[in-house]
């Protein structure tokens, strides 16, 4: 993503959604976060990857924020719950 202030386009291919608090954290100064488009070979290809400042994550690895993908976060949570429980009892198979 190229910021508008640095010549970036304001079209859908160069934009991402962020709440006011997250948007304010993206800057070039000390403690600033960076954003990138996740690469094609990523599990989240094309999505926004957030790169934390070095004092938070020295590796500089971009991470996708699941809070912005509530449907997928819910599906993953439900899948984890199903894996921990017994197979569901169907109403038609009850004694």
């Amino acid at each position: 993503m190229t910021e508008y202030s640095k010549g970036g386009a304001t079209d859908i291919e160069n934009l991402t959604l962020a709440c006011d608090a997250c948007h304010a954290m993206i800057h070039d100064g000390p403690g600033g976060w960076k954003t990138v488009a996740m690469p094609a070979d990523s599990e989240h290809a094309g999505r926004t990857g957030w790169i934390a400042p070095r004092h938070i994550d020295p590796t500089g690895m971009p991470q996708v924020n699941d809070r912005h993908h509530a449907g997928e976060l819910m599906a993953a949570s439900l899948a984890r719950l199903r894996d921990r429980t017994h197979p569901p009892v169907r109403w038609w198979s009850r004694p």
Side-chain angles (χ1 to χ4, degrees):
M1 318 281 167
T2 304
E3 296 177 35
Y4 175 76
S5 65
K6 295 180 180 165
T10 56
D11 59 16
I12 195 67
E13 298 297 321
N14 194 49
L15 297 176
T16 189
L17 298 175
C19 64
D20 288 344
C22 291
H23 185 267
M25 294 179 356
I26 304 169
H27 58 82
D28 289 332
W33 288 65
K34 310 287 183 249
T35 57
V36 296
M38 296 299 282
D41 62 346
S42 164
E43 177 183 356
H44 303 289
R47 293 202 176 154
T48 301
W50 295 80
I51 302 172
R54 288 192 174 273
H55 71 277
I56 295 174
D57 180 9
T59 68
M61 296 295 297
Q63 301 291 322
V64 172
N65 183 348
D66 287 331
R67 287 180 41 190
H68 299 294
H69 304 283
E72 290 180 16
L73 184 59
M74 176 66 87
S77 296
L78 290 173
R80 282 194 302 275
L81 282 173
R82 278 193 295 275
D83 289 345
R84 293 190 322 209
T85 61
H86 299 295
V89 175
R90 307 285 185 222
W91 65 269
W92 59 86
S93 65
R94 290 185 188 160

Short mmCIF file of all heavy atoms in Angstrom, two decimals, residues 39-83:
data_model
loop_
_atom_site.label_atom_id
_atom_site.label_comp_id
_atom_site.label_asym_id
_atom_site.label_seq_id
_atom_site.Cartn_x
_atom_site.Cartn_y
_atom_site.Cartn_z
N PRO A 39 1.37 -11.30 0.12
CA PRO A 39 1.77 -11.88 -1.17
C PRO A 39 0.83 -13.00 -1.63
O PRO A 39 0.08 -13.57 -0.84
CB PRO A 39 3.17 -12.41 -0.90
CG PRO A 39 3.26 -12.58 0.57
CD PRO A 39 2.34 -11.57 1.18
N ALA A 40 0.90 -13.31 -2.90
CA ALA A 40 0.03 -14.31 -3.52
C ALA A 40 0.17 -15.69 -2.88
O ALA A 40 -0.79 -16.46 -2.85
CB ALA A 40 0.31 -14.40 -5.01
N ASP A 41 1.35 -16.03 -2.35
CA ASP A 41 1.55 -17.35 -1.75
C ASP A 41 1.16 -17.39 -0.27
O ASP A 41 1.31 -18.41 0.39
CB ASP A 41 2.99 -17.82 -1.92
CG ASP A 41 4.00 -16.91 -1.23
OD1 ASP A 41 3.62 -15.78 -0.84
OD2 ASP A 41 5.15 -17.31 -1.09
N SER A 42 0.58 -16.32 0.23
CA SER A 42 0.16 -16.24 1.63
C SER A 42 -1.22 -16.87 1.81
O SER A 42 -2.02 -16.91 0.88
CB SER A 42 0.11 -14.77 2.05
OG SER A 42 -0.62 -14.60 3.24
N GLU A 43 -1.50 -17.31 3.01
CA GLU A 43 -2.83 -17.81 3.36
C GLU A 43 -3.88 -16.70 3.18
O GLU A 43 -5.04 -16.97 2.92
CB GLU A 43 -2.83 -18.29 4.81
CG GLU A 43 -4.16 -18.76 5.32
CD GLU A 43 -4.12 -19.16 6.79
OE1 GLU A 43 -3.04 -19.14 7.40
OE2 GLU A 43 -5.20 -19.48 7.31
N HIS A 44 -3.45 -15.46 3.32
CA HIS A 44 -4.35 -14.30 3.22
C HIS A 44 -3.95 -13.42 2.03
O HIS A 44 -3.84 -12.20 2.16
CB HIS A 44 -4.32 -13.49 4.50
CG HIS A 44 -4.68 -14.29 5.71
ND1 HIS A 44 -5.95 -14.73 5.96
CD2 HIS A 44 -3.94 -14.72 6.75
CE1 HIS A 44 -5.98 -15.40 7.08
NE2 HIS A 44 -4.76 -15.42 7.59
N ALA A 45 -3.73 -14.01 0.89
CA ALA A 45 -3.26 -13.29 -0.30
C ALA A 45 -4.12 -12.06 -0.60
O ALA A 45 -5.34 -12.13 -0.59
CB ALA A 45 -3.27 -14.22 -1.50
N GLY A 46 -3.44 -10.94 -0.81
CA GLY A 46 -4.10 -9.71 -1.18
C GLY A 46 -4.66 -8.89 -0.04
O GLY A 46 -5.03 -7.74 -0.22
N ARG A 47 -4.71 -9.46 1.14
CA ARG A 47 -5.24 -8.71 2.28
C ARG A 47 -4.17 -7.81 2.87
O ARG A 47 -3.00 -7.91 2.56
CB ARG A 47 -5.75 -9.68 3.34
CG ARG A 47 -6.95 -10.43 2.87
CD ARG A 47 -7.71 -10.92 4.02
NE ARG A 47 -8.92 -11.57 3.58
CZ ARG A 47 -9.52 -12.50 4.25
NH1 ARG A 47 -9.05 -12.89 5.41
NH2 ARG A 47 -10.62 -13.05 3.80
N THR A 48 -4.59 -6.96 3.77
CA THR A 48 -3.66 -6.04 4.41
C THR A 48 -2.90 -6.74 5.51
O THR A 48 -3.49 -7.34 6.41
CB THR A 48 -4.41 -4.84 5.00
OG1 THR A 48 -5.11 -4.18 3.95
CG2 THR A 48 -3.45 -3.86 5.66
N GLY A 49 -1.58 -6.67 5.42
CA GLY A 49 -0.71 -7.17 6.48
C GLY A 49 -0.21 -5.99 7.29
O GLY A 49 0.22 -4.98 6.73
N TRP A 50 -0.30 -6.09 8.58
CA TRP A 50 0.15 -5.03 9.49
C TRP A 50 1.53 -5.40 10.02
O TRP A 50 1.74 -6.48 10.54
CB TRP A 50 -0.84 -4.89 10.65
CG TRP A 50 -2.19 -4.43 10.20
CD1 TRP A 50 -3.17 -5.20 9.65
CD2 TRP A 50 -2.68 -3.11 10.24
NE1 TRP A 50 -4.26 -4.43 9.35
CE2 TRP A 50 -3.99 -3.14 9.70
CE3 TRP A 50 -2.16 -1.89 10.67
CZ2 TRP A 50 -4.77 -2.00 9.60
CZ3 TRP A 50 -2.95 -0.77 10.57
CH2 TRP A 50 -4.23 -0.82 10.04
N ILE A 51 2.45 -4.47 9.90
CA ILE A 51 3.81 -4.68 10.39
C ILE A 51 4.01 -3.81 11.63
O ILE A 51 3.96 -2.57 11.55
CB ILE A 51 4.87 -4.34 9.32
CG1 ILE A 51 4.62 -5.19 8.08
CG2 ILE A 51 6.27 -4.54 9.87
CD1 ILE A 51 5.48 -4.81 6.88
N ALA A 52 4.21 -4.46 12.75
CA ALA A 52 4.38 -3.75 14.02
C ALA A 52 5.75 -3.08 14.08
O ALA A 52 6.70 -3.52 13.43
CB ALA A 52 4.23 -4.74 15.18
N PRO A 53 5.87 -2.03 14.89
CA PRO A 53 7.18 -1.41 15.09
C PRO A 53 8.17 -2.41 15.69
O PRO A 53 7.77 -3.38 16.33
CB PRO A 53 6.90 -0.28 16.07
CG PRO A 53 5.42 -0.11 16.10
CD PRO A 53 4.81 -1.39 15.64
N ARG A 54 9.45 -2.18 15.50
CA ARG A 54 10.49 -3.10 15.97
C ARG A 54 10.42 -3.39 17.46
O ARG A 54 10.72 -4.49 17.89
CB ARG A 54 11.88 -2.57 15.62
CG ARG A 54 12.18 -2.68 14.16
CD ARG A 54 13.69 -2.43 13.94
NE ARG A 54 14.02 -2.66 12.56
CZ ARG A 54 14.36 -3.85 12.06
NH1 ARG A 54 14.42 -4.89 12.84
NH2 ARG A 54 14.64 -3.98 10.78
N HIS A 55 10.02 -2.41 18.27
CA HIS A 55 9.96 -2.66 19.72
C HIS A 55 8.83 -3.62 20.09
O HIS A 55 8.83 -4.19 21.17
CB HIS A 55 9.85 -1.35 20.51
CG HIS A 55 8.53 -0.66 20.40
ND1 HIS A 55 8.22 0.17 19.34
CD2 HIS A 55 7.45 -0.68 21.21
CE1 HIS A 55 7.00 0.63 19.50
NE2 HIS A 55 6.50 0.14 20.62
N ILE A 56 7.88 -3.83 19.20
CA ILE A 56 6.80 -4.79 19.43
C ILE A 56 7.12 -6.14 18.79
O ILE A 56 6.95 -7.19 19.40
CB ILE A 56 5.46 -4.25 18.91
CG1 ILE A 56 5.05 -3.02 19.71
CG2 ILE A 56 4.37 -5.32 18.96
CD1 ILE A 56 3.82 -2.31 19.19
N ASP A 57 7.58 -6.10 17.54
CA ASP A 57 7.92 -7.33 16.82
C ASP A 57 9.19 -7.11 16.01
O ASP A 57 9.13 -6.59 14.90
CB ASP A 57 6.77 -7.74 15.90
CG ASP A 57 7.06 -9.02 15.13
OD1 ASP A 57 8.07 -9.70 15.43
OD2 ASP A 57 6.29 -9.35 14.22
N PRO A 58 10.34 -7.49 16.55
CA PRO A 58 11.61 -7.27 15.86
C PRO A 58 11.71 -7.98 14.51
O PRO A 58 12.54 -7.62 13.68
CB PRO A 58 12.67 -7.80 16.83
CG PRO A 58 12.00 -7.94 18.14
CD PRO A 58 10.54 -8.09 17.86
N THR A 59 10.87 -9.01 14.27
CA THR A 59 10.96 -9.75 13.01
C THR A 59 10.40 -8.96 11.84
O THR A 59 10.76 -9.22 10.69
CB THR A 59 10.20 -11.09 13.08
OG1 THR A 59 8.80 -10.83 13.17
CG2 THR A 59 10.67 -11.92 14.27
N GLY A 60 9.49 -8.04 12.10
CA GLY A 60 8.90 -7.26 11.02
C GLY A 60 7.99 -8.06 10.10
O GLY A 60 7.73 -7.66 8.97
N MET A 61 7.48 -9.19 10.60
CA MET A 61 6.61 -10.04 9.80
C MET A 61 5.20 -9.46 9.77
O MET A 61 4.63 -9.18 10.82
CB MET A 61 6.56 -11.46 10.37
CG MET A 61 7.89 -12.18 10.32
SD MET A 61 8.48 -12.49 8.65
CE MET A 61 7.20 -13.54 8.04
N PRO A 62 4.62 -9.29 8.58
CA PRO A 62 3.25 -8.77 8.52
C PRO A 62 2.24 -9.79 9.02
O PRO A 62 2.39 -10.99 8.80
CB PRO A 62 3.04 -8.47 7.02
CG PRO A 62 4.07 -9.26 6.31
CD PRO A 62 5.19 -9.50 7.26
N GLN A 63 1.24 -9.30 9.74
CA GLN A 63 0.18 -10.14 10.29
C GLN A 63 -1.17 -9.59 9.85
O GLN A 63 -1.36 -8.37 9.79
CB GLN A 63 0.24 -10.13 11.82
CG GLN A 63 1.54 -10.61 12.39
CD GLN A 63 1.76 -12.09 12.18
OE1 GLN A 63 0.83 -12.88 12.26
NE2 GLN A 63 3.00 -12.46 11.89
N VAL A 64 -2.11 -10.47 9.54
CA VAL A 64 -3.46 -10.05 9.19
C VAL A 64 -4.27 -9.95 10.47
O VAL A 64 -4.22 -10.84 11.32
CB VAL A 64 -4.11 -11.06 8.22
CG1 VAL A 64 -5.58 -10.75 8.01
CG2 VAL A 64 -3.38 -11.04 6.89
N ASN A 65 -4.98 -8.86 10.63
CA ASN A 65 -5.80 -8.62 11.81
C ASN A 65 -7.17 -9.26 11.58
O ASN A 65 -7.96 -8.76 10.78
CB ASN A 65 -5.93 -7.12 12.06
CG ASN A 65 -6.70 -6.81 13.32
OD1 ASN A 65 -7.33 -7.68 13.91
ND2 ASN A 65 -6.65 -5.56 13.73
N ASP A 66 -7.47 -10.34 12.29
CA ASP A 66 -8.74 -11.04 12.13
C ASP A 66 -9.94 -10.21 12.56
O ASP A 66 -11.06 -10.51 12.18
CB ASP A 66 -8.74 -12.35 12.93
CG ASP A 66 -7.86 -13.40 12.29
OD1 ASP A 66 -7.71 -13.38 11.07
OD2 ASP A 66 -7.32 -14.23 13.03
N ARG A 67 -9.72 -9.19 13.36
CA ARG A 67 -10.85 -8.36 13.79
C ARG A 67 -11.57 -7.73 12.60
O ARG A 67 -12.73 -7.38 12.69
CB ARG A 67 -10.37 -7.26 14.73
CG ARG A 67 -10.00 -7.77 16.09
CD ARG A 67 -9.54 -6.69 17.01
NE ARG A 67 -10.34 -5.48 16.89
CZ ARG A 67 -10.02 -4.35 17.45
NH1 ARG A 67 -8.92 -4.24 18.15
NH2 ARG A 67 -10.79 -3.28 17.32
N HIS A 68 -10.87 -7.56 11.50
CA HIS A 68 -11.47 -6.96 10.32
C HIS A 68 -12.11 -8.00 9.40
O HIS A 68 -12.58 -7.67 8.32
CB HIS A 68 -10.43 -6.14 9.54
CG HIS A 68 -9.87 -5.01 10.36
ND1 HIS A 68 -10.62 -3.94 10.78
CD2 HIS A 68 -8.64 -4.81 10.86
CE1 HIS A 68 -9.88 -3.12 11.48
NE2 HIS A 68 -8.66 -3.63 11.54
N HIS A 69 -12.13 -9.24 9.81
CA HIS A 69 -12.73 -10.34 9.05
C HIS A 69 -13.56 -11.19 10.01
O HIS A 69 -13.29 -12.36 10.23
CB HIS A 69 -11.64 -11.18 8.36
CG HIS A 69 -10.76 -10.37 7.49
ND1 HIS A 69 -11.15 -9.94 6.24
CD2 HIS A 69 -9.53 -9.85 7.70
CE1 HIS A 69 -10.18 -9.21 5.71
NE2 HIS A 69 -9.19 -9.15 6.58
N ALA A 70 -14.59 -10.57 10.57
CA ALA A 70 -15.37 -11.20 11.63
C ALA A 70 -15.99 -12.53 11.22
O ALA A 70 -16.03 -13.47 12.01
CB ALA A 70 -16.45 -10.24 12.12
N GLY A 71 -16.47 -12.64 9.99
CA GLY A 71 -17.08 -13.89 9.54
C GLY A 71 -16.10 -15.05 9.55
O GLY A 71 -16.44 -16.15 9.99
N GLU A 72 -14.89 -14.81 9.10
CA GLU A 72 -13.87 -15.87 9.09
C GLU A 72 -13.41 -16.19 10.50
O GLU A 72 -13.15 -17.35 10.82
CB GLU A 72 -12.70 -15.45 8.22
CG GLU A 72 -13.08 -15.42 6.76
CD GLU A 72 -11.92 -15.00 5.88
OE1 GLU A 72 -10.77 -15.02 6.35
OE2 GLU A 72 -12.18 -14.65 4.72
N LEU A 73 -13.32 -15.18 11.35
CA LEU A 73 -12.93 -15.41 12.74
C LEU A 73 -13.98 -16.27 13.43
O LEU A 73 -13.65 -17.22 14.15
CB LEU A 73 -12.76 -14.08 13.46
CG LEU A 73 -12.27 -14.12 14.89
CD1 LEU A 73 -10.90 -14.79 14.97
CD2 LEU A 73 -12.20 -12.72 15.46
N MET A 74 -15.25 -16.00 13.18
CA MET A 74 -16.33 -16.79 13.76
C MET A 74 -16.29 -18.23 13.23
O MET A 74 -16.42 -19.18 14.00
CB MET A 74 -17.68 -16.17 13.45
CG MET A 74 -18.85 -16.99 13.94
SD MET A 74 -18.93 -17.08 15.72
CE MET A 74 -19.85 -15.62 16.05
N ALA A 75 -16.09 -18.40 11.93
CA ALA A 75 -16.03 -19.75 11.36
C ALA A 75 -14.88 -20.55 11.96
O ALA A 75 -15.03 -21.73 12.29
CB ALA A 75 -15.89 -19.67 9.84
N ALA A 76 -13.72 -19.92 12.13
CA ALA A 76 -12.56 -20.61 12.72
C ALA A 76 -12.85 -20.98 14.18
O ALA A 76 -12.50 -22.07 14.63
CB ALA A 76 -11.32 -19.73 12.62
N SER A 77 -13.49 -20.09 14.91
CA SER A 77 -13.83 -20.37 16.31
C SER A 77 -14.80 -21.54 16.41
O SER A 77 -14.64 -22.42 17.25
CB SER A 77 -14.44 -19.13 16.97
OG SER A 77 -13.51 -18.10 17.02
N LEU A 78 -15.82 -21.54 15.56
CA LEU A 78 -16.78 -22.65 15.56
C LEU A 78 -16.12 -23.97 15.18
O LEU A 78 -16.43 -25.01 15.76
CB LEU A 78 -17.94 -22.34 14.61
CG LEU A 78 -18.87 -21.22 15.08
CD1 LEU A 78 -19.88 -20.88 13.98
CD2 LEU A 78 -19.56 -21.58 16.37
N ALA A 79 -15.20 -23.94 14.23
CA ALA A 79 -14.49 -25.16 13.84
C ALA A 79 -13.67 -25.70 15.01
O ALA A 79 -13.63 -26.91 15.24
CB ALA A 79 -13.59 -24.89 12.64
N ARG A 80 -13.02 -24.81 15.76
CA ARG A 80 -12.25 -25.26 16.93
C ARG A 80 -13.17 -25.87 17.98
O ARG A 80 -12.83 -26.87 18.61
CB ARG A 80 -11.45 -24.10 17.52
CG ARG A 80 -10.19 -23.79 16.74
CD ARG A 80 -9.25 -22.88 17.51
NE ARG A 80 -9.85 -21.61 17.88
CZ ARG A 80 -9.90 -20.54 17.09
NH1 ARG A 80 -9.38 -20.57 15.88
NH2 ARG A 80 -10.46 -19.43 17.52
N LEU A 81 -14.34 -25.28 18.18
CA LEU A 81 -15.30 -25.84 19.13
C LEU A 81 -15.76 -27.22 18.69
O LEU A 81 -15.86 -28.14 19.50
CB LEU A 81 -16.50 -24.92 19.28
CG LEU A 81 -16.30 -23.69 20.14
CD1 LEU A 81 -17.52 -22.79 20.04
CD2 LEU A 81 -16.03 -24.07 21.58
N ARG A 82 -16.05 -27.38 17.41
CA ARG A 82 -16.50 -28.69 16.90
C ARG A 82 -15.42 -29.74 17.08
O ARG A 82 -15.71 -30.89 17.39
CB ARG A 82 -16.89 -28.58 15.43
CG ARG A 82 -18.30 -28.04 15.22
CD ARG A 82 -18.74 -28.24 13.79
NE ARG A 82 -17.96 -27.49 12.83
CZ ARG A 82 -18.18 -26.22 12.50
NH1 ARG A 82 -19.17 -25.55 13.04
NH2 ARG A 82 -17.43 -25.62 11.61
N ASP A 83 -14.17 -29.36 16.89
CA ASP A 83 -13.07 -30.32 17.03
C ASP A 83 -12.92 -30.80 18.47
O ASP A 83 -12.44 -31.90 18.71
CB ASP A 83 -11.75 -29.70 16.57
CG ASP A 83 -11.69 -29.53 15.06
OD1 ASP A 83 -12.52 -30.13 14.35
OD2 ASP A 83 -10.81 -28.78 14.59
#
